[in-house]
Amino acid sequence: MRKIKIIKSTAVPLPTENIDTDQIIPARFLKATTRENFGKNLFVDWRRNEDFVLNNEKYKGEILIAGRNFGCGSSREHAAWAILDYGFKAVVSSFFADIFKNNSLNNGLLPVTVSQAFLDKAMKEIETNPKTEIMVDLEKQTISMPSINMSETFPIDPYKKTCLLNGYNDIDYVLSLKDKIISYENNRKHE
Amino acid sequence: MSSKTIFDKIWESHVVHEDKGYPAVLYIDTHFIHEVTSPQAFDSMRKKGRKVFRVNRTWATADHNVPTLNQHLAIKDLLSRHQVEMLKKNTKEFGVNLYGLGHPFQGIVHVIGPELGITRPGMTIVCGDSHTSTHGAFGAIAFGIGTSEVEEVLTTQCLLQNKPKTMKIEINGKLKEGVVAKDIILYVISKLSASGGTGYFVEYAGSTIRDLSMEGRMTICNMSIEMGARGGMIAPDEKTYEYMKGREFAPKGNEWDKALKYWKSLPSDSGAEYDRVETFNAWDIEPMVTYGTNPGMGVGISEKIPSSIDMKNDSEKNQLKKSLEYMGLKEGQPMLNQKVDYVFFGSCTNSRIEDFRLAAKVLRGKKKASNIKAYLVPGSKQVEKQAKIEGLDRVFADAGFELRGPGCSACLGMNEDKIPPGKYCVSTSNRNFEGRQGPGARTILVSPLTAAATALAGKIADPRIYFDKNTI
């Protein structure tokens, strides 16, 4: 599992709200049986429109900054794989759908939840000045935009934070508790 | 002793272990898998040399990719065929029970679980599919997970989970005629929004919920995810036990008595507290129809599409504008009489026998409009069989439809059942996102009654004009 400590990069602005995972990676691409190469189909239907931000050379970076309720809809983890494979390391939004957030955290894609005010200002600044840099510090739980002197702390589940900082995954931890699982099974009163 | 909700009771009795600063290790009673979200999990386990920890708690079916015509032939699409083959290979190699294409129990995973009596009150149930919330209708904690979590459950039969907040959604009163479970949940989501339930696990309660059949309750719980909720559940009662009795894998004899005792202890205690409570009146609900590109963008069938001036803020205005542009609809336009091209009866939301009975009541003795193409896809081989026993297939054939084989079909268009670009499809499924049913497809979500009425009229129609009070 990839480790994250600091992400310092320009960002791609996508102000649309309620971006669902069918947009992120349409169902017809879920027929793959491996985790690789989903990046080329990231937002593939929206990319048909030449005005779509991913088609705009001006905006590049390891950070995707998106409108609220990002990742709603289907539980497809392929959405997180597609975003990572494309080259993003973090998604910044004011609100994430639960399953998408978990899937991201389980894959080393950092979901950064900021206030709506921060999101609106950041989006505007990046759209105007594509070279604007954002710095995300996982240890300190801060996101900052030095060029406009703006920064905020962001929430993250402490356990997930430890996993991301150290490259741990859930399975190793749960496997270490195998005896307790068996004991639970043997002692439970009912099905 | 403090008052507990059903969610609390089931959660607490399934926590294997909880270290300080860590999520709870939650035991998973039942793990459903299908061909789309499992291959990478099995692959990873194979590479690590791991076995499935509890094969007897793992149930597989092929549903998302399968064709709904000529299911006895090899799947034409090579990628789909490969993925379904992978599920066969993986389940055989790892010793997991598979109800694949050709098996009499095959069907959409959230239809077969309950109908086989695998889904039970008081269970924790997961699946790599967000509509796993369906099983909550039995009083189970059931929710969708991603592929990495599928691997975690296959490996350990447990899942690390933080306990969500709880929300009670209470609906009381008698429904108007022609208003069914699907309308209730579309109404609730239209009031709470597509993100209104995020972070919560919902319990549906109230007299209207109690009055619903088990299949109606499944429709409600199924769409919990569409308001962002982790899951949704309904406490078990006599209807639940009646439904379960005698099912293939339901407990029997002494096991039944023991299980019944446990199930009866589950309903929320009076005075139990929730983090949030929302209350609705059944009488306010009419047949619902969506106009936008998320399930929360819906109105009553006699209402008009909202206008920008009705929107609370810029972001809602933008969402409305973008959605209507995609849908080719206008602000302030009535949905009634909107011409449509396709009607899809199916999906884990509405593809059970009662849904087909409802549709048949409207369609009986009548013919579909000539401008409509229709897909009628039962949720399982058992539903298909039952529909034929009841002669519903003949009702549909006489109306100009074809009853197909079971699968997820046009709900998400992974197989050939795609809606062409720009075409309108009135659908009994659960999502109307852009491109959901095919690139450029325009989805309108409705109940099976409204879908049937629309099929006859060739345009969106109020089901209440198509039947007299005595027949439904």
Side-chain angles (χ1 to χ4, degrees):
Chain A
M1 157 91 145
R2 67 179 67 203
K3 290 185 196 180
I4 300 179
K5 287 211 164 5
I6 292 193
I7 302 167
K8 191 168 176 226
S9 172
T10 47
V12 175
L14 187 51
T16 310
E17 299 196 342
N18 299 311
I19 294 176
D20 60 82
T21 51
D22 275 66
Q23 308 319 310
I24 299 173
I25 186 82
R28 62 194 189 273
F29 301 106
L30 303 186
K31 299 181 191 187
T33 50
T34 59
R35 288 172 193 251
E36 283 83 48
N37 300 319
F38 284 95
K40 63 181 190 285
N41 295 311
L42 175 68
F43 290 117
V44 68
D45 289 333
W46 282 0
R47 282 205 248 176
R48 288 183 203 203
N49 179 347
E50 57 186 29
D51 292 334
F52 183 59
V53 72
L54 290 187
N55 294 328
N56 190 336
E57 287 289 305
K58 274 199 302 180
Y59 300 108
K60 283 194 188 315
E62 295 178 331
I63 298 175
L64 176 66
I65 177 161
R68 80 179 297 285
N69 200 26
F70 186 80
C72 60
S74 155
S75 57
R76 60 192 70 166
E77 191 167 315
H78 311 62
W81 300 341
I83 295 171
L84 275 166
D85 190 58
Y86 188 86
F88 292 113
K89 294 198 169 118
V91 183
V92 178
S93 182
S94 54
F95 197 93
F96 287 95
D98 264 350
I99 301 179
F100 175 80
K101 186 158 71 173
N102 275 341
N103 285 338
S104 299
L105 290 167
N106 286 338
N107 282 278
L109 173 68
L110 183 62
V112 181
T113 309
V114 296
S115 66
Q116 193 62 49
F118 185 103
L119 188 72
D120 293 340
K121 264 210 194 115
M123 196 75 75
K124 213 168 172 181
E125 184 61 25
I126 292 160
E127 283 176 328
T128 326
N129 298 308
K131 292 207 178 358
T132 307
E133 271 210 336
I134 301 185
M135 189 166 103
V136 178
D137 185 326
L138 180 57
E139 180 63 64
K140 296 195 180 112
Q141 288 177 236
T142 56
I143 173 168
S144 40
M145 295 175 66
S147 63
I148 54 171
N149 204 24
M150 188 166 79
S151 85
E152 211 172 68
T153 51
F154 63 87
I156 185 165
D157 175 78
Y159 162 76
K160 287 294 182 196
K161 178 180 169 180
T162 307
C163 287
L164 288 173
L165 286 170
N166 295 286
Y168 299 155
N169 74 41
D170 287 1
I171 298 180
D172 293 333
Y173 169 65
V174 180
L175 265 178
S176 74
L177 300 168
K178 203 82 177 268
D179 289 342
K180 290 203 185 337
I181 301 171
I182 293 171
S183 168
Y184 168 86
E185 288 176 322
N186 292 334
N187 292 314
R188 64 194 311 204
K189 298 185 199 77
H190 47 66
E191 266 300 302
Chain B
M1 209 167 64
S2 63
S3 294
K4 293 196 169 132
T5 64
I6 178 172
F7 183 86
D8 291 331
K9 293 180 192 185
I10 301 172
W11 180 276
E12 286 168 16
S13 67
H14 285 77
V15 174
V16 170
H17 186 71
E18 197 165 359
D19 277 323
K20 192 167 186 284
Y22 282 76
V25 178
L26 195 73
Y27 192 79
I28 302 301
D29 292 312
T30 294
H31 185 197
F32 290 111
I33 61 175
H34 62 82
E35 76 276 21
V36 179
T37 53
S38 63
Q40 294 87 348
F42 281 116
D43 207 41
S44 178
M45 289 173 72
R46 186 180 288 114
K47 289 192 173 100
K48 295 172 190 169
R50 290 187 180 141
K51 290 188 168 30
V52 170
F53 186 47
R54 291 289 176 250
V55 294
N56 61 335
R57 291 184 178 280
T58 314
W59 306 81
T61 188
D63 57 4
H64 280 65
N65 258 306
V66 304
T68 54
L69 289 176
N70 297 318
Q71 287 184 331
H72 58 288
L73 298 176
I75 297 175
K76 283 199 208 119
D77 180 280
L78 291 177
L79 287 177
S80 295
R81 190 196 307 180
H82 177 67
Q83 204 176 51
V84 171
E85 289 294 317
M86 281 304 294
L87 181 68
K88 242 185 170 163
K89 172 176 180 261
N90 285 330
T91 48
K92 188 157 188 255
E93 185 182 325
F94 285 86
V96 168
N97 193 18
L98 168 67
Y99 298 133
L101 265 184
H103 195 285
F105 292 164
Q106 179 264 342
I108 301 173
V109 64
H110 310 307
V111 174
I112 72 168
E115 75 185 0
L116 290 171
I118 300 168
T119 302
R120 298 179 193 179
M123 276 188 159
T124 48
I125 299 174
V126 298
C127 175
D129 187 273
S130 49
H131 294 109
T132 308
S133 51
T134 310
H135 308 266
F138 289 78
I141 292 181
F143 55 94
I145 57 176
T147 303
S148 295
E149 291 173 315
V150 168
E151 187 188 341
E152 185 176 334
V153 179
L154 288 173
T155 309
T156 66
Q157 205 57 40
C158 290
L159 200 59
L160 273 182
Q161 280 293 287
N162 287 313
K163 193 179 183 190
K165 293 182 283 191
T166 53
M167 182 191 316
K168 181 160 84 162
I169 293 180
E170 200 174 314
I171 307 155
N172 291 304
K174 277 242 156 337
L175 286 169
K176 288 188 172 113
E177 251 150 7
V179 177
V180 293
K182 182 63 166 286
D183 301 306
I184 300 176
I185 191 64
L186 282 174
Y187 177 80
V188 168
I189 300 170
S190 76
K191 296 297 175 196
L192 297 183
S193 91
S195 58
T198 304
Y200 292 94
F201 209 101
V202 173
E203 182 187 341
Y204 302 96
S207 66
T208 319
I209 297 295
R210 291 288 133 220
D211 286 345
L212 293 174
S213 67
M214 287 312 295
E215 292 192 7
R217 295 178 189 186
M218 282 189 255
T219 299
I220 301 269
C221 292
N222 170 280
M223 288 188 74
S224 306
I225 185 66
E226 308 311 335
M227 60 176 119
R230 205 74 180 85
M233 64 200 299
I234 295 172
D237 59 13
E238 288 307 316
K239 279 186 186 168
T240 319
Y241 315 139
E242 193 54 47
Y243 180 95
M244 295 222 50
K245 209 166 187 143
R247 296 214 171 243
E248 185 77 25
F249 297 104
K252 303 191 171 60
N254 283 339
E255 289 302 311
W256 172 266
D257 296 333
K258 237 177 91 188
L260 195 60
K261 194 161 175 242
Y262 168 52
W263 299 343
K264 288 183 171 178
S265 73
L266 293 170
S268 298
D269 302 325
S270 66
E273 285 181 1
Y274 301 81
D275 295 297
R276 184 170 153 194
V277 178
E278 299 285 344
T279 317
F280 298 97
N281 182 356
W283 196 252
D284 292 332
I285 307 172
E286 57 165 351
M288 291 290 292
V289 60
T290 61
Y291 57 84
T293 53
N294 76 53
M297 300 179 81
V299 285
I301 201 157
S302 65
E303 294 178 311
K304 298 191 171 80
I305 295 177
S307 302
S308 300
I309 47 170
D310 303 320
M311 301 291 103
K312 289 191 221 109
N313 51 49
D314 278 344
S315 96
E316 279 192 3
K317 280 192 174 80
N318 288 335
Q319 173 81 74
L320 181 67
K321 192 160 166 267
K322 188 171 193 285
S323 290
L324 292 183
E325 198 179 311
Y326 178 85
M327 292 293 288
L329 299 172
K330 291 185 167 51
E331 289 185 19
Q333 169 193 334
M335 285 305 285
L336 213 50
N337 299 321
Q338 167 64 36
K339 199 154 168 287
V340 300
D341 309 291
Y342 287 81
V343 176
F344 170 59
F345 292 88
S347 86
C348 51
T349 315
N350 288 119
S351 64
R352 299 176 180 83
I353 193 62
E354 286 176 17
D355 300 315
F356 288 105
R357 286 178 190 148
L358 276 180
K361 280 195 162 128
V362 174
L363 296 171
R364 186 165 271 116
K366 299 190 176 72
K367 269 204 141 34
K368 71 169 177 69
S370 55
N371 63 304
I372 293 284
K373 284 199 186 77
Y375 295 107
L376 264 99
V377 182
S380 69
K381 292 303 283 182
Q382 295 207 90
V383 172
E384 181 188 17
K385 190 170 159 205
Q386 186 61 30
K388 287 182 175 161
I389 289 170
E390 296 182 16
L392 303 185
D393 56 330
R394 285 196 308 277
V395 172
F396 298 139
D398 291 344
F401 297 129
E402 190 183 358
L403 188 68
R404 290 166 168 251
C408 299
S409 181
C411 174
L412 80 166
M414 266 188 98
N415 72 354
E416 313 80 37
D417 307 337
K418 295 185 204 324
I419 306 301
K423 298 291 183 192
Y424 289 97
C425 177
V426 148
S427 180
T428 67
S429 57
N430 43 61
R431 288 189 174 136
N432 52 352
F433 298 141
E434 289 183 21
R436 171 77 181 179
Q437 297 189 289
R442 292 164 161 167
T443 306
I444 295 170
L445 302 176
V446 298
S447 79
L449 279 181
T450 308
T454 300
L456 293 181
K459 48 193 180 172
I460 293 179
D462 191 325
R464 296 172 291 187
I465 64 168
Y466 275 95
F467 60 89
D468 75 68
K469 288 176 194 289
N470 303 317
T471 53
I472 296 206

